[in-house]
Amino acid sequence: MTKSRHATRSMPTACGITLIELSLSMLITSILVSLSFPSMLDLRSSTETTITLQRLNNALESAKVAAISTGEIVTLCGSADSINCQEGWSDGLLSFIDRNDNRELDGIDQALNWQSMRDINGTIRWQAFGNRQYLLLDPRGMMGTQNGSFTYCNLSTDLRAAAKLIINRTARSRTLRDLNPLHYCPP
């Protein structure tokens, strides 16, 4: 018997994935994304809080260095317009050499720095003994008898966390985080 010259060829198999496999992988991916979404929001909120507290601390350190290097009183206050001190700190921070000790930037005073805080997603509040809405740094870089804290309330999520930058009379600061917003942040 002779073999036939025409050998049977095997059919090539199709490569790829089925619709069921694709649907299952999409389902698993969507579950993983939905589980990680709250963590991403918390991470973003935490990062915003950290950056805001660092900016407040940098403004304080800059005013402290200016007071020591010039040998004059420096005022740090909240300012929306970079010229006048206002009650709110969430719009901007102004530091200036207060030569006439009136806590206002006028003719004989020297503006040092103004930093806009309008890009933050929250509110900043200063609380100190006597409820003074400014910080005075003397030529030694100290705040004399005044100490207090900045409270930052992040408004980006429903489960927002409050944080504080606590400043002692020597103008040294420390951070207190993950505070209950119900106690520190007004609705």
Side-chain angles (χ1 to χ4, degrees):
M1 270 193 143
T2 60
K3 285 190 172 178
S4 155
R5 292 186 139 226
H6 301 299
T8 50
R9 295 185 182 170
S10 62
M11 294 288 293
T13 57
C15 295
I17 57 173
T18 65
L19 185 60
I20 293 174
E21 292 170 332
L22 179 63
S23 298
L24 186 61
S25 64
M26 292 299 289
L27 175 69
I28 292 171
T29 303
S30 64
I31 289 171
L32 291 174
V33 167
S34 66
L35 290 176
S36 67
F37 190 69
S39 296
M40 293 302 289
L41 289 177
D42 289 344
L43 178 64
R44 180 175 180 215
S45 175
S46 175
T47 302
E48 288 174 357
T49 300
T50 300
I51 289 171
T52 301
L53 293 178
Q54 285 176 347
R55 289 170 68 183
L56 286 167
N57 193 44
N58 289 346
L60 174 67
E61 289 297 318
S62 175
K64 183 178 178 179
V65 167
I68 294 169
S69 64
T70 63
E72 298 185 81
I73 294 174
V74 172
T75 299
L76 178 66
C77 62
S79 174
D81 61 3
S82 75
I83 298 170
N84 300 309
C85 290
Q86 285 109 12
E87 292 286 319
W89 293 81
S90 299
D91 290 325
L93 307 171
L94 173 65
S95 62
F96 59 94
I97 297 174
D98 195 6
R99 292 192 171 111
N100 56 4
D101 201 26
N102 65 351
R103 279 103 145 151
E104 293 178 10
L105 179 60
D106 47 29
I108 64 170
D109 297 334
Q110 178 185 351
L112 296 172
N113 189 20
W114 181 76
Q115 180 179 8
S116 175
M117 298 295 276
R118 291 187 182 117
D119 59 340
I120 65 169
N121 193 19
T123 58
I124 301 170
R125 196 175 32 143
W126 169 252
Q127 286 182 306
F129 183 73
N131 202 24
R132 290 180 266 176
Q133 290 300 304
Y134 54 86
L135 288 79
L136 290 178
L137 293 127
D138 66 17
R140 297 174 299 158
M142 300 178 81
M143 294 181 11
T145 60
Q146 185 181 19
N147 58 0
S149 62
F150 286 106
T151 303
Y152 175 68
C153 298
N154 191 322
L155 305 176
S156 64
T157 60
D158 291 335
L159 301 173
R160 55 194 170 146
K164 280 191 171 199
L165 184 68
I166 301 168
I167 303 168
N168 65 18
R169 28 175 270 160
T170 62
R172 293 182 187 238
S173 63
R174 66 182 174 93
T175 303
L176 188 60
R177 297 190 53 108
D178 298 327
L179 305 173
N180 186 345
L182 298 175
H183 295 125
Y184 297 98
C185 302

